[in-house]
Amino acid sequence: MKAASVIIPAHDEAGYIGPCLEAVFASDLEGTALQVIVVANGCADKTAQKAQDHASSERNLSVIETPQGGKLQALELGDRAAHHGTRIYLDADVIVAPDLISQLVAALAPAAPRYASGTPSVARAQSALTRAYARLWQRLPFVAQGVPGFGIFAVNAAGRARWDVWPDIISDDTFVRLHFAPEERLKVPAHYSWPMVEGWHRLVRVRRRQDRGVAEITARFPHLAQNEGRARMGAGDVVRLALQDPIGFAVYGAVSLAVRLPGPGGWVRGR
Protein backbone atom coordinates (compact mmCIF):
# COMPACT_ATOMS: atom_id res chain seq x y z
CA MET A 1 0.00 0.00 0.00
CA LYS A 2 1.27 3.47 -0.89
CA ALA A 3 1.78 5.69 2.16
CA ALA A 4 3.47 8.94 3.13
CA SER A 5 3.95 11.13 6.19
CA VAL A 6 3.57 14.88 5.67
CA ILE A 7 5.49 16.92 8.24
CA ILE A 8 4.55 20.60 8.63
CA PRO A 9 6.68 22.71 10.99
CA ALA A 10 4.68 25.76 12.01
CA HIS A 11 5.76 28.77 14.06
CA ASP A 12 3.02 31.39 14.53
CA GLU A 13 1.26 30.29 11.36
CA ALA A 14 -2.36 30.69 12.52
CA GLY A 15 -3.19 32.71 9.43
CA TYR A 16 -1.76 30.12 7.02
CA ILE A 17 -2.07 26.63 8.50
CA GLY A 18 -5.80 26.28 7.73
CA PRO A 19 -5.58 26.76 3.94
CA CYS A 20 -2.41 24.66 3.88
CA LEU A 21 -4.14 21.71 5.58
CA GLU A 22 -7.30 22.05 3.51
CA ALA A 23 -5.25 21.78 0.34
CA VAL A 24 -3.43 18.71 1.68
CA PHE A 25 -6.66 16.96 2.62
CA ALA A 26 -8.28 17.90 -0.69
CA SER A 27 -5.53 16.02 -2.53
CA ASP A 28 -6.34 13.27 -5.01
CA LEU A 29 -4.36 10.62 -3.20
CA GLU A 30 -4.99 7.69 -5.58
CA GLY A 31 -5.05 5.14 -2.77
CA THR A 32 -2.20 6.63 -0.75
CA ALA A 33 -2.49 6.42 3.03
CA LEU A 34 -1.56 9.84 4.38
CA GLN A 35 -0.34 10.78 7.84
CA VAL A 36 -0.18 14.54 8.49
CA ILE A 37 1.86 15.92 11.39
CA VAL A 38 1.80 19.58 12.34
CA VAL A 39 4.59 20.59 14.72
CA ALA A 40 3.58 23.87 16.34
CA ASN A 41 6.87 25.15 17.73
CA GLY A 42 7.29 28.14 20.03
CA CYS A 43 3.94 29.59 18.99
CA ALA A 44 2.46 32.68 20.61
CA ASP A 45 -0.72 32.49 18.53
CA LYS A 46 -3.40 29.86 17.86
CA THR A 47 -1.51 27.79 15.30
CA ALA A 48 -2.03 24.52 17.17
CA GLN A 49 -5.74 25.18 17.72
CA LYS A 50 -6.25 26.18 14.09
CA ALA A 51 -4.53 22.99 12.99
CA GLN A 52 -6.52 20.81 15.39
CA ASP A 53 -9.74 22.33 14.03
CA HIS A 54 -9.05 20.46 10.79
CA ALA A 55 -8.97 17.04 12.45
CA SER A 56 -11.74 14.52 11.83
CA SER A 57 -12.32 10.79 12.02
CA GLU A 58 -11.46 10.50 8.31
CA ARG A 59 -8.17 12.39 8.62
CA ASN A 60 -4.96 11.05 10.09
CA LEU A 61 -3.85 14.37 11.58
CA SER A 62 -1.80 14.89 14.69
CA VAL A 63 -0.65 18.17 16.20
CA ILE A 64 2.52 18.28 18.28
CA GLU A 65 3.06 21.34 20.46
CA THR A 66 6.49 22.28 21.77
CA PRO A 67 7.43 25.48 23.59
CA GLN A 68 10.82 25.49 21.90
CA GLY A 69 10.93 27.40 18.63
CA GLY A 70 13.11 26.34 15.73
CA LYS A 71 12.29 24.72 12.41
CA LEU A 72 14.99 22.08 12.55
CA GLN A 73 13.91 20.85 15.97
CA ALA A 74 10.34 20.77 14.68
CA LEU A 75 11.41 18.66 11.71
CA GLU A 76 13.15 16.27 14.09
CA LEU A 77 10.02 15.92 16.23
CA GLY A 78 7.96 15.34 13.11
CA ASP A 79 10.30 12.62 11.89
CA ARG A 80 10.12 10.86 15.24
CA ALA A 81 6.32 10.79 15.00
CA ALA A 82 6.22 9.69 11.35
CA HIS A 83 4.92 6.20 10.58
CA HIS A 84 5.85 5.97 6.91
CA GLY A 85 9.18 5.84 5.11
CA THR A 86 8.19 8.37 2.48
CA ARG A 87 8.45 11.84 4.04
CA ILE A 88 7.03 15.06 2.62
CA TYR A 89 8.30 18.21 4.36
CA LEU A 90 5.89 21.07 3.79
CA ASP A 91 6.00 24.71 4.86
CA ALA A 92 2.82 25.91 6.55
CA ASP A 93 2.28 28.77 4.08
CA VAL A 94 2.36 26.56 0.96
CA ILE A 95 -0.73 25.46 -0.96
CA VAL A 96 -0.35 22.17 -2.85
CA ALA A 97 -2.21 21.34 -6.04
CA PRO A 98 -4.59 18.36 -5.78
CA ASP A 99 -2.27 16.02 -7.69
CA LEU A 100 1.06 17.03 -6.16
CA ILE A 101 1.21 14.59 -3.25
CA SER A 102 0.27 11.57 -5.38
CA GLN A 103 2.91 12.55 -7.97
CA LEU A 104 5.56 12.89 -5.26
CA VAL A 105 4.69 9.48 -3.82
CA ALA A 106 4.89 7.91 -7.29
CA ALA A 107 8.25 9.56 -8.00
CA LEU A 108 9.62 8.21 -4.72
CA ALA A 109 8.41 4.65 -5.28
CA PRO A 110 11.80 3.21 -6.39
CA ALA A 111 13.83 1.53 -3.65
CA ALA A 112 16.93 3.55 -4.54
CA PRO A 113 17.37 6.89 -2.73
CA ARG A 114 15.31 9.64 -4.31
CA TYR A 115 14.45 13.29 -3.64
CA ALA A 116 11.47 15.04 -5.23
CA SER A 117 9.63 18.33 -5.30
CA GLY A 118 6.89 19.96 -7.32
CA THR A 119 6.83 22.82 -9.79
CA PRO A 120 6.76 26.09 -7.85
CA SER A 121 4.39 28.91 -8.63
CA VAL A 122 5.07 32.13 -6.74
CA ALA A 123 1.82 33.57 -5.37
CA ARG A 124 1.02 37.04 -6.66
CA ALA A 125 2.64 39.56 -4.33
CA GLN A 126 0.94 42.70 -3.07
CA SER A 127 3.94 44.97 -3.67
CA ALA A 128 5.19 45.86 -7.15
CA LEU A 129 8.76 45.51 -5.91
CA THR A 130 8.27 41.91 -4.85
CA ARG A 131 6.42 41.10 -8.07
CA ALA A 132 9.37 42.42 -10.09
CA TYR A 133 11.89 40.47 -8.00
CA ALA A 134 9.84 37.27 -8.24
CA ARG A 135 9.40 37.61 -11.99
CA LEU A 136 13.15 37.65 -12.56
CA TRP A 137 13.91 35.09 -9.86
CA GLN A 138 11.62 32.50 -11.45
CA ARG A 139 13.62 32.74 -14.68
CA LEU A 140 16.91 31.84 -13.05
CA PRO A 141 18.18 28.40 -14.14
CA PHE A 142 18.32 27.18 -10.54
CA VAL A 143 14.57 27.75 -10.21
CA ALA A 144 13.37 27.11 -13.75
CA GLN A 145 15.47 24.04 -14.51
CA GLY A 146 16.47 22.64 -11.13
CA VAL A 147 14.65 21.02 -8.21
CA PRO A 148 15.35 23.54 -5.42
CA GLY A 149 12.65 22.29 -3.06
CA PHE A 150 11.84 25.58 -1.37
CA GLY A 151 8.44 25.28 0.34
CA ILE A 152 8.14 21.53 -0.14
CA PHE A 153 10.53 18.63 -0.66
CA ALA A 154 10.17 14.89 -0.21
CA VAL A 155 12.36 11.81 0.15
CA ASN A 156 11.78 8.08 0.22
CA ALA A 157 12.96 5.82 3.05
CA ALA A 158 16.35 5.16 1.46
CA GLY A 159 16.77 8.88 0.88
CA ARG A 160 15.93 9.77 4.47
CA ALA A 161 18.56 7.29 5.62
CA ARG A 162 21.27 9.51 4.13
CA TRP A 163 21.32 11.69 7.23
CA ASP A 164 20.61 11.00 10.89
CA VAL A 165 19.21 13.76 13.09
CA TRP A 166 18.54 17.22 11.71
CA PRO A 167 21.49 19.53 12.42
CA ASP A 168 21.05 23.04 13.79
CA ILE A 169 21.38 24.90 10.49
CA ILE A 170 19.70 27.73 8.60
CA SER A 171 18.82 26.06 5.30
CA ASP A 172 17.05 22.73 5.72
CA ASP A 173 16.07 22.51 2.03
CA THR A 174 19.66 23.03 0.83
CA PHE A 175 20.94 20.47 3.35
CA VAL A 176 18.55 17.80 2.12
CA ARG A 177 18.82 18.59 -1.59
CA LEU A 178 22.61 18.28 -1.54
CA HIS A 179 22.41 14.78 -0.09
CA PHE A 180 21.30 13.73 -3.57
CA ALA A 181 23.10 13.82 -6.89
CA PRO A 182 21.33 15.74 -9.68
CA GLU A 183 20.15 12.51 -11.30
CA GLU A 184 18.52 11.47 -8.01
CA ARG A 185 16.46 14.68 -7.79
CA LEU A 186 13.08 14.64 -9.50
CA LYS A 187 10.71 17.49 -10.30
CA VAL A 188 7.10 16.45 -10.82
CA PRO A 189 4.79 18.57 -13.02
CA ALA A 190 2.16 19.30 -10.36
CA HIS A 191 2.35 22.82 -8.94
CA TYR A 192 2.38 24.37 -5.52
CA SER A 193 1.83 27.98 -4.54
CA TRP A 194 4.64 29.54 -2.54
CA PRO A 195 4.47 33.12 -1.19
CA MET A 196 7.41 35.46 -1.51
CA VAL A 197 7.99 38.04 1.21
CA GLU A 198 6.73 41.56 0.66
CA GLY A 199 8.83 44.68 0.27
CA TRP A 200 12.46 45.75 0.11
CA HIS A 201 13.55 45.16 3.70
CA ARG A 202 12.02 41.69 3.92
CA LEU A 203 13.45 40.65 0.56
CA VAL A 204 16.93 41.71 1.63
CA ARG A 205 16.60 40.07 5.04
CA VAL A 206 15.41 36.74 3.66
CA ARG A 207 17.87 36.72 0.76
CA ARG A 208 20.68 37.37 3.26
CA ARG A 209 19.46 34.44 5.33
CA GLN A 210 19.36 32.22 2.25
CA ASP A 211 22.88 33.15 1.21
CA ARG A 212 24.21 32.57 4.71
CA GLY A 213 22.39 29.27 4.86
CA VAL A 214 24.09 28.05 1.69
CA ALA A 215 27.48 29.28 2.93
CA GLU A 216 26.95 27.45 6.21
CA ILE A 217 26.23 24.16 4.42
CA THR A 218 29.37 24.59 2.31
CA ALA A 219 31.50 25.25 5.40
CA ARG A 220 30.06 22.54 7.65
CA PHE A 221 29.37 19.84 5.07
CA PRO A 222 31.92 20.38 2.27
CA HIS A 223 31.44 16.86 0.94
CA LEU A 224 27.91 17.79 -0.15
CA ALA A 225 29.18 20.40 -2.62
CA GLN A 226 29.82 17.68 -5.23
CA ASN A 227 26.06 17.29 -5.59
CA GLU A 228 25.31 20.91 -6.42
CA GLY A 229 25.01 20.50 -10.18
CA ARG A 230 23.63 24.02 -10.54
CA ALA A 231 23.31 25.41 -14.05
CA ARG A 232 25.70 28.31 -14.58
CA MET A 233 24.66 31.52 -16.24
CA GLY A 234 26.90 32.91 -18.95
CA ALA A 235 27.21 36.54 -19.95
CA GLY A 236 24.73 35.98 -22.76
CA ASP A 237 22.15 34.59 -20.32
CA VAL A 238 22.53 37.62 -18.09
CA VAL A 239 22.09 40.01 -20.99
CA ARG A 240 18.98 38.18 -22.16
CA LEU A 241 17.42 38.39 -18.71
CA ALA A 242 18.18 42.11 -18.54
CA LEU A 243 16.64 42.74 -21.94
CA GLN A 244 13.57 40.61 -21.28
CA ASP A 245 12.76 42.24 -17.95
CA PRO A 246 14.87 45.33 -17.21
CA ILE A 247 12.81 46.33 -14.15
CA GLY A 248 12.93 42.87 -12.64
CA PHE A 249 16.64 42.64 -13.42
CA ALA A 250 17.30 45.97 -11.71
CA VAL A 251 15.33 45.02 -8.59
CA TYR A 252 16.94 41.60 -8.34
CA GLY A 253 20.39 43.11 -8.82
CA ALA A 254 19.78 45.77 -6.19
CA VAL A 255 18.68 43.17 -3.63
CA SER A 256 21.71 41.03 -4.48
CA LEU A 257 23.99 43.98 -3.77
CA ALA A 258 22.17 44.95 -0.59
CA VAL A 259 22.61 41.53 1.00
CA ARG A 260 26.37 42.07 0.97
CA LEU A 261 25.99 44.80 3.55
CA PRO A 262 26.18 43.86 7.27
CA GLY A 263 22.99 42.44 8.71
CA PRO A 264 21.61 39.96 11.26
CA GLY A 265 22.83 36.40 11.03
CA GLY A 266 21.15 33.09 11.70
CA TRP A 267 17.55 32.19 10.92
CA VAL A 268 15.22 35.18 10.48
CA ARG A 269 11.58 35.30 9.49
CA GLY A 270 10.50 37.03 6.35
CA ARG A 271 7.21 38.14 7.85
Side-chain angles (χ1 to χ4, degrees):
M1 184 178 181
K2 295 183 292 185
S5 294
V6 179
I7 298 169
I8 308 175
H11 172 71
D12 288 346
E13 300 283 8
Y16 293 87
I17 191 64
C20 174
L21 288 173
E22 282 303 315
V24 169
F25 287 118
S27 297
D28 181 4
L29 296 176
E30 298 183 357
T32 298
L34 200 66
Q35 176 195 21
V36 180
I37 305 163
V38 175
V39 185
N41 61 96
C43 294
D45 65 2
K46 296 183 178 181
T47 295
Q49 178 183 322
K50 294 285 187 180
Q52 195 62 54
D53 288 345
H54 289 77
S56 72
S57 58
E58 294 80 28
R59 296 173 171 179
N60 184 356
L61 169 65
S62 58
V63 180
I64 299 172
E65 291 188 73
T66 174
Q68 180 179 345
K71 186 177 183 181
L72 279 301
Q73 193 244 4
L75 291 172
E76 183 66 29
L77 290 175
D79 267 338
R80 293 176 189 174
H83 297 157
H84 307 303
T86 296
R87 307 284 168 84
I88 300 173
Y89 302 98
L90 175 65
D91 285 356
D93 55 2
V94 166
I95 305 296
V96 298
D99 51 348
L100 177 55
I101 289 178
S102 62
Q103 288 186 14
L104 290 175
V105 172
L108 296 172
R114 290 292 182 270
Y115 163 102
S117 186
T119 300
S121 175
V122 177
R124 180 174 173 79
Q126 298 176 13
S127 69
L129 187 81
T130 295
R131 289 197 298 271
Y133 181 93
R135 205 167 53 236
L136 193 288
W137 180 78
Q138 290 179 91
R139 293 175 176 167
L140 298 176
F142 173 68
V143 179
Q145 301 168 20
V147 195
F150 51 83
I152 180 171
F153 56 86
V155 296
N156 59 9
R160 181 60 185 85
R162 288 198 165 168
W163 75 96
D164 188 11
V165 298
W166 289 90
D168 183 15
I169 52 175
I170 299 170
S171 185
D172 56 292
D173 51 349
T174 302
F175 174 77
V176 174
R177 177 173 55 83
L178 292 183
H179 273 83
F180 299 83
E183 62 271 17
E184 297 175 316
R185 304 195 292 254
L186 307 171
K187 177 186 284 186
V188 302
H191 284 74
Y192 63 94
S193 177
W194 179 80
M196 187 167 282
V197 296
E198 298 283 355
W200 172 263
H201 293 292
R202 292 185 178 92
L203 282 171
V204 171
R205 183 169 57 186
V206 170
R207 173 65 185 275
R208 183 180 287 125
R209 182 197 78 199
Q210 292 168 344
D211 287 359
R212 286 177 171 166
V214 172
E216 178 186 44
I217 297 297
T218 302
R220 291 183 56 182
F221 309 98
H223 63 287
L224 297 181
Q226 64 184 346
N227 288 331
E228 182 58 73
R230 182 178 297 191
R232 299 294 181 181
M233 291 183 62
D237 299 319
V238 175
V239 171
R240 276 192 294 273
L241 282 176
L243 292 175
Q244 290 169 356
D245 187 357
I247 295 176
F249 186 85
V251 171
Y252 184 87
V255 171
S256 299
L257 290 174
V259 300
R260 298 176 184 273
L261 300 174
W267 203 100
V268 295
R269 273 184 86 92
R271 44 181 169 75

